[in-house]
Amino acid sequence: AEVSTQSTGAPPPPSAPPLEDDASEDEECEETDGRSGDRVELRVNRNKNMRKTVRVSSFFETASVEKRHNFKKHTYYGFPFCDYCTNYMWGLSQQGCLCVDCGQNCHHQCAEEAPADCKPTPKHINKVFGVDLTTVVMMDNVENIPPFLHKSFHLIEKSGLHKQGVYRVNGSHDDVLRYKELMNKNASLSTLESADLFVLCSLTKMFLRELPMPLVTYDAYQPFIAGNSLVDHDNRVGQTKNAIRMLPRCHFFTLRALTQHLNTVSKSSEHNQMTSENLAIVFGPTVFRTEVLTAENMMADLNAQKCVMKFLIDHCWRLFA
């Protein structure tokens, strides 16, 4: 069967609710986070004489993982029936739509009404690199971040914190492609334990770079960049938290894991020479990408991307708390 590359155009996912505005009777203060030494924001309610931590992650921890179907127009052979309305799909070609991630069949009109209940399976997705982040997470039946990234972060922190040029020096191109192919063929994650440190770093960057939807999604890009122009630190924190809440659940947890990992790497900068600024130069253009990429807007936003990425790395424990 031939599958057309033309998409049906599903509506965008619902955005997260905005942060609550500070009430006039509330007073803000700060307290040290014991894990990192960073300071986390607290809110004191004068009327109730009690305080509570303002946690950006609370919304994502309670939200369920939902994925819309990736429908493509499809030509069926035999007697195709719609999985949504159960009726026959008439016609000789392109009778309906096929979800290339889970295999669900639908009429064209039913595809527009189908709920966001796609359950990706390895049967329909035969790779890890170049696949939507939410799809990878759901396919591996995990809640937070792709297992490949979790394993890579662990191995790099285990043996690479004192290696000079971590994430800056590229690994062997042939080895990177070999391990990429192994991961795409669903090889065991323990295979990565034999990889060279710089190969692991290159694989991590490649995984993030090849995401169809960047880690910071297109609709959240400008809110993140807008925070870079704010001079007041607290206002910048608030703007960045608002931008973070616009991310899908899997993107939030993966970005949090990445920035906390890079924060750990930067704390050993006297050995590896990779400060948060150097890491931001490497990861800024990978994490932040515009939908329409031209040489002009790429160069114009390059410094802003670096500054925002550095801010996320330096203040990750507060921003993602």
Side-chain angles (χ1 to χ4, degrees), residues 43 52 92 101 133 154 170 181 220 245 252:
R43 183 167 298 163
K52 60 179 179 178
L92 298 177
D101 293 341
L133 188 63
H154 170 72
N170 292 324
E181 184 178 1
R245 286 175 65 94
F252 166 82

Side-chain angles (χ1 to χ4, degrees), residues 98-263:
L98 170 71
C99 177
V100 296
D101 293 341
C102 71
Q104 180 167 311
N105 306 301
C106 276
H107 289 105
H108 296 297
Q109 61 271 27
C110 291
E112 299 176 0
E113 303 175 2
D117 59 355
C118 180
K119 305 295 182 185
T121 62
K123 175 183 176 181
H124 297 91
I125 302 170
N126 56 2
K127 61 180 181 178
V128 174
F129 284 72
V131 179
D132 174 72
L133 188 63
T134 302
T135 300
V136 174
V137 170
M138 296 186 69
M139 180 179 64
D140 289 318
N141 197 27
V142 294
E143 294 183 356
N144 295 332
I145 71 173
F148 163 76
L149 284 183
H150 186 272
K151 183 69 172 180
S152 295
F153 293 164
H154 170 72
L155 293 175
I156 292 169
E157 291 180 13
K158 180 180 178 181
S159 61
L161 293 182
H162 288 188
K163 291 289 185 69
Q164 186 171 342
V166 58
Y167 281 122
R168 178 177 55 82
V169 178
N170 292 324
S172 166
H173 181 67
D174 291 340
D175 287 345
V176 170
L177 294 181
R178 179 166 64 88
Y179 278 99
K180 175 185 177 181
E181 184 178 1
L182 288 173
M183 291 299 102
N184 280 336
K185 290 183 177 179
N186 202 27
S188 172
L189 291 175
S190 60
T191 307
L192 295 173
E193 296 176 3
S194 61
D196 176 74
L197 170 70
F198 299 115
V199 170
L200 275 177
C201 294
S202 295
L203 281 170
T204 301
K205 292 184 290 185
M206 179 180 288
F207 178 88
L208 296 172
R209 187 169 57 248
E210 292 186 358
L211 288 174
M213 176 65 70
L215 192 52
V216 170
T217 54
Y218 296 135
D219 59 339
Y221 179 85
Q222 284 302 332
F224 270 100
I225 297 298
N228 186 54
S229 62
L230 299 176
V231 177
D232 183 79
H233 180 77
D234 290 337
N235 288 341
R236 186 175 183 182
V237 168
Q239 171 66 24
T240 305
K241 284 186 175 181
N242 278 324
I244 288 173
R245 286 175 65 94
M246 296 178 65
L247 298 174
R249 175 190 168 96
C250 297
H251 288 247
F252 166 82
F253 282 111
T254 303
L255 182 60
R256 182 175 72 171
L258 173 65
T259 54
Q260 291 176 355
H261 165 66
L262 296 180
N263 182 277

Side-chain angles (χ1 to χ4, degrees), residues 15-129:
S15 59
L19 283 171
E20 295 179 359
D21 295 332
D22 291 337
S24 59
E25 68 272 18
D26 287 350
E27 181 183 65
E28 290 185 355
C29 62
E30 290 184 342
E31 182 178 275
T32 301
D33 188 321
R35 295 171 301 172
S36 62
D38 285 356
R39 305 184 72 80
V40 295
E41 185 179 1
L42 301 175
R43 183 167 298 163
V44 179
N45 188 296
R46 295 175 181 171
N47 293 338
K48 297 182 179 180
N49 194 25
M50 61 182 294
R51 69 183 182 179
K52 60 179 179 178
T53 304
V54 181
R55 302 180 65 244
V56 175
S57 61
S58 59
F59 169 78
F60 295 96
E61 290 171 351
T62 57
S64 59
V65 180
E66 292 184 349
K67 181 185 181 305
R68 294 178 179 274
H69 290 279
N70 186 15
F71 285 120
K72 305 292 182 181
K73 292 182 178 180
H74 186 72
T75 297
Y76 294 90
Y77 299 96
F79 302 95
F81 286 85
C82 177
D83 293 328
Y84 183 71
C85 70
T86 70
N87 290 325
Y88 183 74
M89 294 189 288
W90 297 92
L92 298 177
S93 65
Q94 294 189 351
Q95 304 98 315
C97 297
L98 170 71
C99 177
V100 296
D101 293 341
C102 71
Q104 180 167 311
N105 306 301
C106 276
H107 289 105
H108 296 297
Q109 61 271 27
C110 291
E112 299 176 0
E113 303 175 2
D117 59 355
C118 180
K119 305 295 182 185
T121 62
K123 175 183 176 181
H124 297 91
I125 302 170
N126 56 2
K127 61 180 181 178
V128 174
F129 284 72

